[in-house]
Amino acid sequence: MMNPDGSEQVNLTQHPATDYSAVWSPTGEQILFTSNRSSVQDLYLMDPDGTNVRRVFKKKIKARRQHATWSPDGKQFAYNYLDWDRRKSGLYLGTFGEEDVEPLPYGNSPAWSPDGSEIACSVSHALGARLTFINVRTRDREQPLPDKVLPWQRLPSWSAAGDRLAISGNKHPIPAILDRDLHEAWRDKTTAYIVNRDGTGLRQLVEEAGHDISVAELSPDGSEVLYVQEINGNEQLFKLDINSGVRTQLTHIGALFHQANFQGDWFDPAYALPVSPQPHLLSTTWGELKKEKAP
């Protein structure tokens, strides 16, 4: 965990396993993450200070459960399911405290909309991947961004207003396996984009320079995007101001061995208050303020 400027970085998990894909609960009281500490990748919860780590599911399975997203009310979650042995993968919907899950239409990298009505995800096909919206109630799917505009559309992230998303994308068509020239044109060209919910206003945020850019996470107010890029052999977190184009490298770890810094998530108490006000996140409460001003 760190401040938005990269200062005061604190290591929350001390386990030798790989812990990644951490996402804040809507109120900031818990963190949901993926870990392989039980020999297979599965979902875990912990408190914001890294304590009270526990499995989401009591029943262990051989398949992977990973890359989860919270529902806005904090009661449910969607996640990726991957079973290599049975060659089965997809999205599932779970409820905290329950073992039963429900399959969703095919996709990966889910992101729940702020109003709770739909889940954004990426649906792969033979020539790329499409940004897809799944209606939580009806399970209907919508793909507003044509693949001819952006063949690769992956890893969606919502703004708090739900009016636009950040995505990772590659505008170059996927090359044939034996076409070396097209492979060179396609390689290391994945970068961060922003797009309106209806598929309009697609804009590239970062130049196609250096290694691939991935995991574009939009800040709650929609003004900044958090992304990952490899620098000198190590993945590092960067923050980009969407309006000014100024970027800031937030992590610099990994000088002595390969270290990955990736899959960050934002939390801003101001945007959590409409969900469930938390007194410990406020400088003062409204009741106390009224009391001080009363005659």
Side-chain angles (χ1 to χ4, degrees):
M1 182 165 57
M2 70 180 79
N3 292 328
D5 62 0
S7 64
E8 299 185 26
Q9 296 184 17
V10 179
N11 185 190
L12 298 180
T13 58
Q14 305 293 329
H15 200 281
T18 299
D19 302 325
Y20 66 100
S21 191
V23 286
W24 288 95
S25 68
T27 60
E29 294 177 297
Q30 297 182 91
I31 295 174
L32 179 62
F33 68 101
T34 303
S35 177
N36 63 354
R37 59 186 61 195
S38 60
S39 74
V40 66
Q41 292 175 354
D42 209 344
L43 302 179
Y44 290 78
L45 284 166
M46 66 179 171
D47 292 348
D49 60 359
T51 62
N52 193 24
V53 177
R54 63 272 191 201
R55 293 171 62 96
V56 172
F57 294 98
K58 294 181 180 179
K59 184 179 179 180
K60 296 182 180 180
I61 59 175
K62 293 183 178 180
R64 296 180 179 182
R65 291 182 284 217
Q66 57 192 8
H67 302 303
T69 179
W70 295 81
S71 63
D73 63 7
K75 297 179 180 179
Q76 292 183 296
F77 58 98
Y79 64 95
N80 283 2
Y81 174 92
L82 180 60
D83 188 336
W84 288 110
D85 294 337
R86 298 168 60 189
R87 296 184 179 180
K88 183 180 179 180
S89 64
L91 292 179
Y92 279 80
L93 180 67
T95 301
F96 288 105
E98 299 181 7
E99 293 292 308
D100 292 336
V101 296
E102 180 183 352
L104 291 170
Y106 178 76
N108 55 71
S109 304
W112 215 305
S113 67
D115 65 4
S117 66
E118 55 189 355
I119 294 173
C121 64
S122 179
V123 174
S124 301
H125 55 84
L127 301 177
R130 293 281 299 274
L131 172 65
T132 303
F133 298 99
I134 300 173
N135 186 295
V136 174
R137 183 178 61 84
T138 66
R139 302 295 193 263
D140 291 338
R141 300 199 312 176
E142 180 186 356
Q143 296 179 322
L145 186 59
D147 52 11
K148 64 181 180 180
V149 175
L150 190 66
W152 284 91
Q153 309 162 20
R154 302 177 62 244
L155 304 168
S157 168
W158 293 90
S159 67
D163 57 343
R164 55 182 182 169
L165 302 93
I167 58 174
S168 295
N170 193 319
K171 64 185 178 184
H172 303 274
I174 188 171
I177 296 177
L178 300 179
D179 195 325
R180 293 185 177 181
D181 291 337
L182 286 180
H183 263 288
E184 288 302 312
W186 185 82
R187 187 169 62 89
D188 285 334
K189 296 298 188 296
T190 299
T191 187
Y193 290 80
I194 194 164
V195 63
N196 294 329
R197 163 60 185 83
D198 62 3
T200 63
L202 179 68
R203 180 161 64 96
Q204 183 175 323
L205 298 177
V206 185
E207 294 181 359
E208 296 174 357
H211 292 279
D212 280 339
I213 287 174
S214 62
V215 195
E217 191 75 21
L218 198 59
S219 65
D221 65 4
S223 67
E224 297 176 301
V225 65
L226 193 66
Y227 68 89
V228 179
Q229 187 173 33
E230 182 181 322
I231 303 294
N232 298 324
N234 298 100
E235 284 87 359
Q236 305 290 359
L237 284 172
F238 290 83
K239 182 179 67 173
L240 176 78
D241 187 299
I242 292 176
N243 297 317
S244 68
V246 174
R247 80 170 190 169
T248 304
Q249 184 174 339
L250 300 178
T251 61
H252 300 80
I253 304 173
L256 300 179
F257 58 92
H258 182 78
Q259 170 114 15
N261 305 277
F262 58 99
Q263 296 178 324
D265 188 41
W266 299 85
F267 177 70
D268 186 337
Y271 289 87
L273 299 183
V275 179
S276 177
Q278 303 299 314
H280 66 279
L281 298 177
L282 303 171
S283 57
T284 183
T285 65
W286 174 240
E288 291 176 350
L289 187 61
K290 287 181 65 178
K291 183 176 180 181
E292 292 173 1
K293 297 294 185 180

